[in-house]
Amino acid sequence: MMEKADPAQKLYNRMRLWEFPDQYVVEPTDGSSGSFLAISRIDASINLIDEIPHCSSLRVPKIRTIFGVVGMLKLLAGSYLLLITERECVGSYLGHPIFKISSMKVFPCDQSIKNSSEEQKKMETEFYRLLNVAEKTPGLYFSYNVNITLSAQRLHDLGDESKLLPLWRQADPRFLWNNYMMEVLIDNKLDPYLLPVVQGSFQNFQAAIGKDILNVMLIARRCTRRNGTRMWRRGADSDGYVANFVETEQIVQLNGHTASFVQVRGSIPLLWDQIVDLTYKPKFEIVRLEEASRVVDRHFLDLRKKYGNVVAVDLVNKHGGEGRLCEKFGNTMQHVANNDVRYLHFDFHRICGHVHFERLSILYDQIEDFLIKNRYLLLNEKGEKVEGQLGVVRTNCIDCLDRTNVTQSMIGRKMLEFQLRRLGVFDAEENISTHPNFDESFKVLWANHGDDVSIQYSGTPALKGDFVRYGKRTIQGVLNDGWNALMRYYLNNFRDGTKQDAIDLMQGHYILSVSRSMTPTSQAGGIEAIASFPLALLLILTGFFLATISLGRVRNDLWNLLFSIMWASMSLAIAAFVKANGRVFCNRPRLHQPRR
């Protein structure tokens, strides 16, 4: 029988891992007097023990320092323990240290696999490879002392009883990245080991304006409900949860006062897909149109419950491939919009183009009344709420990355200026731009924030990041955008399918069972058995190379003209074949097929 953990007991912040041949033992080494955690490497059974098992010449353990238990994941034949092996302190949130996971390792508890069938062993190996992908998950943050899944306003509004609960019980499950992986530990009542982890971003800087010292923070919290990669998680699910939903909180602290402002971003809340097929911009496909109103209504009902009033800023193009999505979203919002929910379309590319981002002032003029009315959180020196934020700006483009980040940084700048005037730091005519050092730090803050959010969803830093970072478009920024766009194409087509499988496995979106039919075991047939984009690309380039050589020798021998035509024709035929069978050549998720 497991001992019941004391709810008031603090999380262990430093531990020693003993790797015995038959079990792992986690020993708290931070001065705590708690029991040791023992996990069997044979069947993953968990027990609390009072002392380290006996060591001998035949039982010599490996020893290493760890900084947290992320959770445990059960596959077909074995279970796997995820531990934090390296951490980095990146700042503080409301006075408490915040850490970023620098290294996370998977430790197998799979010795029982030797009794499994060959088919199960093969499957276990395939799924274990996905855990190796998951080890490299970017942007994971945690704190031993404060609940970073909640904004400052929600933390302040917690009841006294809730504040006494362990951090994992206070946490908002939307932003709890290891929610599924903690289930086994929760069942065993291991509160001191239950460390909530958030995926997102944490950026901060300190600056002086006159005699005032300001601490500015920018926090992103990524929702796990419809988590995934750029092309493999689009739109909403039937419950109204959307892809790339991120809550962004901007906080400023000075002279004992705390001011916070929250924004959100998220994919267009319709049922739509964009299936990769080797084209640069795959076609948008809206599915189950009859459910659009219900899905949108569910999405905004959830936003109203959590944030209050909502203004939805839609930045997509009015025409072209994005136009159908824009039209359907706008039409559906006519039935949802009311006194609490407002929809506003702003064609970012038509109005701002690729360089005139200062024209976002046109958008700001249209939402200024909403921002003034719905305010922000302000706490005085005693920690008392002077006023609270009553609503939220929800911004989207197609990816909710580049256009969205430029727009959110503009809104964040305006709100920070409001707050600093309220606190007496700025006078009526003063703004961030009148303080060059502060202005530069603020731009870098938002540029790094945008890069972090973008890397998690698309695999590359944000486009248009030079404007956010420097306040203007630069030649280097345009060149970087071109390179990042090419990298997104490559990753979306040839890497993100496997990454999506790893995410679905870690988040519990795909539950394994022995009896379940699993597509990874199926043998590909026909073209799928031999399809390889690198091979096809090599054949195409080789064909054009030989055609070029043959053309250079035409003067000496007309047969070379025939050969050049033949090589060029073969190259074009292979290229046409790849395009026609694009989806076969792509790295597609195998645990989840696209929604239909």
Side-chain angles (χ1 to χ4, degrees):
M1 180 69 69
M2 299 290 298
E3 296 177 16
K4 186 173 182 180
D6 179 2
Q9 193 171 359
K10 299 295 185 182
L11 287 167
Y12 301 137
N13 58 45
R14 183 182 288 268
M15 290 152 277
R16 183 180 294 124
L17 176 67
W18 300 72
E19 298 180 55
F20 291 96
D22 59 341
Q23 66 179 336
Y24 299 112
V25 176
V26 179
E27 173 195 4
T29 57
D30 58 356
S32 303
S33 58
S35 299
F36 305 163
L37 178 63
I39 304 105
S40 169
R41 298 180 69 167
I42 299 172
D43 60 7
S45 60
I46 298 176
N47 291 287
L48 290 177
I49 59 178
D50 294 325
E51 59 182 18
I52 298 297
H54 176 68
C55 302
S56 68
S57 58
L58 299 177
R59 188 178 163 84
V60 180
K62 295 180 182 178
I63 301 175
R64 71 171 79 198
T65 298
I66 63 171
F67 301 97
V69 179
V70 175
M72 181 176 284
L73 201 62
K74 180 172 177 55
L75 299 185
L76 282 176
S79 294
Y80 299 83
L81 187 65
L82 284 85
L83 303 176
I84 300 169
T85 54
E86 293 180 32
R87 70 184 181 188
E88 174 191 2
C89 186
V90 293
S92 63
Y93 178 56
L94 306 179
H96 301 284
I98 302 297
F99 297 91
K100 182 178 182 179
I101 296 179
S102 303
S103 177
M104 178 174 63
K105 298 294 183 185
V106 174
F107 293 84
C109 306
D110 61 351
Q111 292 182 10
S112 61
I113 195 172
K114 59 187 177 184
N115 301 320
S116 303
S117 66
E118 288 302 316
E119 184 69 13
Q120 282 187 328
K121 290 178 181 178
K122 180 181 177 182
M123 285 301 307
E124 191 80 2
T125 301
E126 288 220 33
F127 286 119
Y128 182 67
R129 290 196 188 111
L130 296 181
L131 296 187
N132 292 332
V133 174
E135 279 183 336
K136 301 176 179 64
T137 301
L140 299 179
Y141 297 84
F142 65 92
S143 174
Y144 302 108
N145 309 109
V146 64
N147 182 359
I148 61 173
T149 69
L150 298 183
S151 66
Q153 178 158 307
R154 295 186 66 194
L155 266 178
H156 182 273
D157 293 344
L158 275 182
D160 291 336
E161 291 187 4
S162 296
K163 292 177 181 177
L164 294 175
L165 295 174
L167 288 183
W168 71 268
R169 294 190 64 185
Q170 300 176 25
D172 185 336
R174 294 180 302 159
F175 305 126
L176 190 55
W177 182 80
N178 57 333
N179 193 18
Y180 174 67
M181 290 172 275
M182 287 200 302
E183 287 183 358
V184 174
L185 304 181
I186 292 172
D187 291 342
N188 285 282
K189 299 180 174 61
L190 298 170
D191 287 349
Y193 292 96
L194 289 165
L195 180 64
V197 176
V198 171
Q199 186 179 29
S201 177
F202 183 90
Q203 304 292 331
N204 66 102
F205 71 89
Q206 190 175 77
I209 297 181
K211 296 182 179 180
D212 295 306
I213 304 298
L214 285 70
N215 290 300
V216 182
M217 287 164 279
L218 193 59
I219 304 169
R221 304 176 179 95
R222 177 174 295 280
C223 181
T224 64
R225 303 291 196 195
R226 190 163 167 73
N227 200 2
T229 57
R230 178 172 172 251
M231 287 294 182
W232 298 112
R233 280 295 176 271
R234 294 294 210 186
D237 62 18
S238 57
D239 293 320
Y241 296 117
V242 296
N244 201 22
F245 184 89
V246 178
E247 178 184 276
T248 294
E249 181 180 19
Q250 180 177 279
I251 299 174
V252 59
Q253 292 180 305
L254 75 153
N255 301 329
H257 292 83
T258 298
S260 160
F261 177 70
V262 171
Q263 305 180 63
V264 297
R265 70 177 78 191
S267 192
I268 294 175
L270 300 172
L271 302 173
W272 63 280
D273 287 321
Q274 196 176 10
I275 309 302
V276 298
D277 56 5
L278 293 184
T279 58
Y280 182 71
K281 270 196 172 183
K283 184 174 65 174
F284 301 105
E285 298 181 25
I286 304 176
V287 297
R288 304 209 299 270
L289 282 170
E290 69 279 2
E291 296 186 37
S293 294
R294 180 181 59 81
V295 170
V296 170
D297 189 57
R298 283 188 175 183
H299 177 71
F300 282 95
L301 177 62
D302 184 59
L303 288 183
R304 290 201 303 273
K305 286 180 178 178
K306 291 181 171 66
Y307 299 102
N309 303 319
V310 182
V311 58
V313 177
D314 183 11
L315 302 173
V316 303
N317 301 342
K318 195 76 172 179
H319 304 288
E322 299 180 7
R324 283 186 62 228
L325 280 173
C326 176
E327 180 182 8
K328 185 61 181 176
F329 186 26
N331 291 340
T332 307
M333 286 301 297
Q334 291 180 9
H335 304 289
V336 176
N338 52 40
N339 293 333
D340 301 326
V341 178
R342 175 181 161 198
Y343 172 80
L344 173 64
H345 178 258
F346 181 83
D347 193 328
F348 187 101
H349 283 152
R350 183 181 65 81
I351 298 172
C352 299
H354 294 285
V355 293
H356 296 293
F357 297 163
E358 71 280 357
R359 295 176 184 169
L360 281 171
S361 60
I362 299 171
L363 170 62
Y364 177 74
D365 290 341
Q366 298 178 65
I367 62 172
E368 183 179 22
D369 59 333
F370 179 90
L371 296 172
I372 292 173
K373 178 181 177 182
N374 289 279
R375 311 302 291 167
Y376 47 82
L377 171 72
L378 180 61
L379 305 178
N380 63 19
E381 304 97 319
K382 298 178 181 179
E384 299 167 338
K385 184 190 284 189
V386 178
E387 63 178 300
Q389 185 171 340
L390 305 176
V392 72
V393 179
R394 180 204 191 277
T395 308
N396 75 265
C397 47
I398 289 296
D399 297 330
C400 303
L401 296 177
D402 314 316
R403 288 172 278 184
T404 296
N405 202 60
V406 173
T407 302
Q408 285 197 337
S409 68
M410 178 272 294
I411 297 172
R413 172 181 288 260
K414 294 291 187 181
M415 292 308 298
L416 182 55
E417 290 171 346
F418 273 136
Q419 293 165 343
L420 294 180
R421 292 188 190 105
R422 173 72 179 272
L423 294 170
V425 178
F426 283 176
D427 60 32
E429 302 301 321
E430 207 169 358
N431 56 45
I432 293 174
S433 300
T434 58
H435 300 271
N437 291 337
F438 186 79
D439 186 33
E440 181 181 354
S441 297
F442 183 81
K443 289 172 181 173
V444 171
L445 182 88
W446 270 95
N448 291 342
H449 172 88
D451 286 346
D452 286 348
V453 172
S454 179
I455 286 168
Q456 293 159 25
Y457 189 53
S458 72
T460 76
L463 308 185
K464 305 177 179 66
D466 54 334
F467 180 82
V468 180
R469 193 175 296 274
Y470 305 115
K472 61 181 180 180
R473 295 246 59 184
T474 64
I475 297 297
Q476 185 62 49
V478 173
L479 292 176
N480 289 342
D481 283 0
W483 172 253
N484 287 331
L486 289 174
M487 282 302 299
R488 285 184 183 183
Y489 172 82
Y490 170 75
L491 294 170
N492 296 161
N493 282 278
F494 309 115
R495 286 291 181 266
D496 283 353
T498 300
K499 185 177 175 182
Q500 185 64 57
D501 284 339
I503 291 171
D504 287 333
L505 199 61
M506 300 288 280
Q507 301 290 305
H509 298 158
Y510 183 87
I511 309 298
L512 298 175
S513 67
V514 176
S515 61
R516 184 167 180 175
S517 173
M518 287 168 246
T519 54
T521 61
S522 61
Q523 296 296 317
I527 176 68
E528 295 185 35
I530 59 172
S532 166
F533 181 77
L535 175 61
L537 182 61
L538 178 62
L539 291 173
I540 292 170
L541 294 177
T542 302
F544 279 120
F545 175 72
L546 293 173
T548 302
I549 292 177
S550 298
L551 277 175
R553 297 177 178 176
V554 167
R555 291 180 183 178
N556 302 324
D557 188 350
L558 287 177
W559 279 103
N560 283 298
L561 177 61
L562 179 62
F563 282 124
S564 65
I565 294 173
M566 180 187 72
W567 290 121
S569 299
M570 287 177 60
S571 299
L572 290 173
I574 295 172
F577 180 79
V578 170
K579 186 178 187 303
N581 295 274
R583 295 189 182 186
V584 174
F585 286 84
C586 295
N587 172 233
R588 303 167 63 79
R590 296 185 291 174
L591 302 188
H592 274 292
Q593 292 303 314
R595 179 188 57 242
R596 288 295 180 198

